[in-house]
Amino acid sequence: RRLLYVSSQQPNHLIHTLDLCILRRMKTAMTKDSKEELRKILSDTWMSKNETFIFPPPPSSSLIEKCQRIHRLQRLKDRWNEAITAITKIHGKTKRTEKNVYDACDKWFEEIVKRHSSGDDATTNAQKEEEEVKEERYYHTLVHLEEMLEYIDIFLHPSSPLSSGGDQDLDEETLHQHRAVLILSTFFHDVIYNAKSSTNEEDSALLFCKFANEVLLFSGSGKQSDDEETTSKPIMKLVKRIEAYILATKSHSSSSLAENDDDNNVKYYLHLFLDIDMSVLGKKSIAYDSYAHAIRQEYQFVPHDVYCEKRAQVLTTFLERDCIFENDIMRKVLEETCRDNLKREIGLLEMGMIPKQGGGQQQEDKEKEETT
């Protein structure tokens, strides 16, 4: 009863469950081809309004924080287990399926949580001396994963009118595999994040391949049997696909896709994945400002003037695209708001100002910066 009471007092982020009413409303809006209705539906989701990217810290004296963390980690782990099950079931029943895979799942999930620790979490981590933990995260945290996974639910929930990706003959098993690919791509695309590095995506892809060899392909747990080697071929195709999706977040293009991937829906789901990763650009203005402020915190080692110049250049490249979002629905819903946000931030940056948490703008204390 105490837990339910806390839940009722803390609606933000405690439990994120997909509201099936959203799916029904989206189906109606799509039937009517109503752009405004679609925009209103998705702008009502918590993702578009969320201003906080710091995940609740490890259990402390606060009952609310403890309950938040427990529920939200369980939600993440449910998606994690779902994706791994959807892929490893291709192996069928083997002695190693239950023993090795599920033992390794918990270890890797804990690794994902540790590596996505925010700046506040990192200071309490027993392994904070490791380079990947020392790098503070203010936006690329577990909250970023939560937002992406909620969008995946909207587009790839079995009840969603969007789940087929335009292919009405898509069977349920294939849909679950596409969903699993997007989920694991989400968990691993920023698993290694160092704002000073230019190889985050490549390093993240390498870590994913290590995970895949150990958990998805069984190759990390000894020599494969003939049956396992045979069933590993379709799994290897999915592994290569996830690796390509992770690498694609470097340029946000589909050029990293394997040429021999013969699934006609792959590019559709890659574009959807990249659009979901960039959905933060289409947040409501105040929430967007909080995101922009968090990015500045991750790059606080960059001098103020240099940051303003380079950040404006990056955002301008997005504005120069014919369309920022490739997916038709995402483009209808987020494109206009996204462009408004980008133009507004670029305007601030050109005046030497940074959006701040909760909206507005601030000019950094250059005197303090020079002293530092």
Side-chain angles (χ1 to χ4, degrees):
R1 282 196 295 268
R2 292 178 69 194
L3 181 58
L4 290 174
Y5 172 76
V6 172
S7 301
S8 66
Q9 303 306 307
Q10 293 290 322
N12 293 331
H13 298 314
L14 189 51
I15 305 177
H16 299 312
T17 55
L18 182 64
D19 187 351
L20 295 182
C21 290
I22 292 179
L23 301 181
R24 288 194 290 269
R25 289 172 61 196
M26 289 189 72
K27 187 173 183 178
T28 301
M30 289 174 64
T31 302
K32 297 179 179 178
D33 195 23
S34 173
K35 176 180 174 181
E36 287 303 318
E37 182 62 21
L38 280 172
R39 180 183 294 133
K40 185 177 186 304
I41 293 169
L42 287 186
S43 66
D44 286 340
T45 63
W46 74 271
M47 297 89 77
S48 68
K49 296 179 283 190
N50 173 49
E51 304 172 26
T52 305
F53 301 101
I54 300 300
F55 198 80
S60 62
S61 58
S62 168
L63 174 62
I64 290 176
E65 285 184 349
K66 183 176 182 179
C67 292
Q68 283 182 327
R69 186 173 179 85
I70 291 172
H71 278 273
R72 292 169 67 178
L73 283 176
Q74 187 58 53
R75 284 280 292 162
L76 287 168
K77 193 171 185 181
D78 287 346
R79 265 75 165 269
W80 170 260
N81 290 337
E82 172 202 337
I84 293 172
T85 300
I87 294 178
T88 56
K89 69 185 295 186
I90 297 174
H91 279 298
K93 283 286 185 180
T94 71
K95 291 181 179 179
R96 291 199 288 181
T97 301
E98 295 182 2
K99 186 177 187 305
N100 294 68
V101 172
Y102 297 116
D103 285 351
C105 280
D106 288 344
K107 180 194 77 172
W108 275 98
F109 181 76
E110 290 172 5
E111 183 73 8
I112 293 285
V113 171
K114 182 191 76 173
R115 288 177 178 269
H116 282 84
S117 295
S118 65
D120 290 342
D121 284 341
T123 59
T124 63
N125 195 300
Q127 300 179 6
K128 63 183 177 181
E129 294 302 320
E130 297 181 20
E131 183 65 23
E132 65 271 17
V133 176
K134 284 199 299 181
E135 294 301 329
E136 294 186 338
R137 297 179 183 232
Y138 293 91
Y139 168 66
H140 293 89
T141 65
L142 291 172
V143 180
H144 175 47
L145 303 191
E146 287 180 307
E147 290 189 355
M148 290 185 67
L149 291 169
E150 290 296 320
Y151 274 113
I152 290 173
D153 274 355
I154 288 176
F155 281 87
L156 283 173
H157 189 279
S159 301
S160 173
L162 310 175
S163 61
S164 64
D167 184 352
Q168 300 302 320
D169 297 326
L170 201 63
D171 62 88
E172 186 175 347
E173 183 176 352
T174 304
L175 173 62
H176 283 305
Q177 289 177 9
H178 281 301
R179 179 177 163 88
V181 166
L182 263 66
I183 289 174
L184 289 181
S185 297
T186 296
F187 274 110
F188 278 95
H189 80 291
D190 286 325
V191 68
I192 293 181
Y193 181 78
N194 181 340
K196 298 178 182 179
S197 172
S198 61
T199 60
N200 287 322
E201 294 80 9
E202 292 85 352
D203 295 339
S204 294
L206 284 174
L207 189 62
F208 164 72
C209 289
K210 181 180 178 182
F211 157 80
N213 284 330
E214 180 179 342
V215 175
L216 304 180
L217 296 167
F218 296 159
S219 58
S221 55
K223 185 177 179 180
Q224 291 182 316
S225 66
D226 292 340
D227 288 342
E228 287 173 347
E229 189 171 347
T230 299
T231 57
S232 288
K233 291 179 180 178
I235 295 179
M236 178 59 76
K237 180 176 286 189
L238 297 180
V239 167
K240 290 294 183 184
R241 195 175 295 170
I242 295 170
E243 181 184 8
Y245 281 23
I246 294 170
L247 293 173
T249 60
K250 190 178 187 74
S251 62
H252 278 83
S253 71
S254 58
S255 58
S256 61
L257 272 181
E259 294 181 359
N260 60 350
D261 199 324
D262 54 3
D263 190 322
N264 294 328
N265 288 294
V266 169
K267 186 167 287 190
Y268 168 86
Y269 288 109
L270 171 59
H271 287 155
L272 176 61
F273 171 68
L274 295 177
D275 285 354
I276 289 174
D277 188 30
M278 293 196 299
S279 62
V280 63
L281 302 180
K283 281 178 173 285
K284 289 183 178 296
S285 60
I286 294 179
Y288 177 89
D289 287 349
S290 296
Y291 146 75
H293 177 73
I295 292 295
R296 176 55 178 138
Q297 287 180 290
E298 291 184 343
Y299 285 87
Q300 56 190 289
F301 61 90
V302 178
H304 177 80
D305 290 343
V306 175
Y307 177 83
C308 289
E309 178 186 353
K310 298 299 182 182
R311 171 77 174 169
Q313 289 176 2
V314 171
L315 299 184
T316 299
T317 61
F318 285 107
L319 282 179
E320 291 172 347
R321 295 184 181 185
D322 292 334
C323 58
I324 297 172
F325 297 98
E326 293 286 345
N327 180 273
D328 289 341
I329 302 299
M330 295 291 276
R331 186 165 59 250
K332 288 179 181 179
V333 172
L334 299 179
E335 185 87 15
E336 185 177 336
T337 304
C338 171
R339 290 185 179 275
D340 289 343
N341 284 333
L342 294 180
K343 290 175 184 176
R344 184 166 49 80
E345 184 181 358
I346 291 172
L348 291 174
L349 293 169
E350 289 175 344
M351 293 188 292
M353 296 180 177
I354 309 289
K356 68 178 183 180
Q357 181 82 23
Q361 64 276 343
Q362 61 185 22
Q363 187 167 9
E364 294 193 8
D365 188 341
K366 292 188 179 182
E367 188 176 319
K368 179 180 178 182
E369 182 181 282
E370 289 171 2
T371 302
T372 304

